[in-house]
Amino acid sequence: MSGGEFLMWLHLCAMAAYVGAQFAVIYMLIPAAETAPNEAARRASLIAGFKFYNPFTIGVLGIIVISGAMRLTDLKASMKFDYFARIGSALELKLLLAFLLIFIQTYITFGLAFRIGRQEEVAAHGDGDAFTVEQLNSMLRRIRAMAWFTIVLAAAVIWVSLTMVARAVDEPATASRISARAISGRASRVLVHRVASEMWAARVMT
């Protein structure tokens, strides 16, 4: 396996792991916490789940960004001067969506999920009050909604990436067909000119 293929598979596996983590929060962590026998057990279950979710999602997003940037550098080197003309617009859209995805995930991780466990620690040390049930439920609803939003953004990023790949693959083939047609057209004109010249020479001799 070449370095480019390894980066591609690493990029795809990291994206799959990220999307899987979002579905796990929506369909596994939050519903499982709701089955706890009491409020203390529910909060402990949520905190334990988010202790894994928070660093995991940030970590795989970092892998996605780094591997994607390295693969993009290789692509730029292979395309040379045609790089921006062929995939520039799609790349701008992808970077915009990726920035929005990272921004939303940062909000989920540090603005919501991390605060749940942090506030429980503050309350345990007597330095403040824990979140009320209403506050916690509101934060969980926002986490669920934002997780769905990141899934949609990830799907959009994948779609734009496929568009970029299609342009990178199809346009060289199109250019080759155009070049072949041009060469064929020139050859036809040369042949017609040669036949006409021979006919004119025959008529002169006659």
Side-chain angles (χ1 to χ4, degrees), residues 10 12 22 28 33 47 53 74 95 99 102-103 110 119 122 131 135 139 148 169 175 192 200:
L10 180 64
L12 293 175
Q22 304 302 78
M28 296 175 64
I47 292 171
Y53 170 83
D74 296 339
L95 292 177
F99 174 79
I102 294 171
F103 179 81
F110 296 105
Q119 195 63 30
V122 169
F131 288 125
Q135 289 174 324
M139 295 177 74
W148 275 116
V169 172
V192 170
W200 175 255

Side-chain angles (χ1 to χ4, degrees), residues 35-83:
T35 63
N38 52 59
E39 182 62 21
R42 181 172 82 120
R43 294 178 184 233
S45 176
L46 289 171
I47 292 171
F50 286 133
K51 280 185 177 179
F52 173 80
Y53 170 83
N54 291 337
F56 180 79
T57 51
I58 296 299
V60 293
L61 274 181
I63 294 174
I64 291 170
V65 172
I66 294 173
S67 60
M70 294 175 64
R71 191 69 186 95
L72 197 60
T73 301
D74 296 339
L75 191 63
K76 183 178 181 180
S78 64
M79 289 186 179
K80 295 182 172 49
F81 297 106
D82 295 333
Y83 176 74

Side-chain angles (χ1 to χ4, degrees), residues 3 9 17 40 45-46 93 96 108 116 146 150 157 181 184 197 204:
W9 281 109
S45 176
L46 289 171
L93 179 58
L96 177 62
I108 295 173
I116 296 174
M146 291 297 100
T150 58
V157 170
R181 290 175 183 174
S184 177
S197 299
V204 170

Side-chain angles (χ1 to χ4, degrees), residues 126-144:
D127 296 328
D129 297 328
F131 288 125
T132 64
V133 176
E134 291 76 14
Q135 289 174 324
L136 182 60
N137 291 338
S138 176
M139 295 177 74
L140 292 177
R141 285 193 297 268
R142 279 180 283 170
I143 290 175
R144 185 184 288 109

Side-chain angles (χ1 to χ4, degrees), residues 101-116:
L101 176 63
I102 294 171
F103 179 81
I104 297 299
Q105 184 57 49
T106 303
Y107 169 69
I108 295 173
T109 301
F110 296 105
L112 296 173
F114 177 76
R115 288 178 58 202
I116 296 174

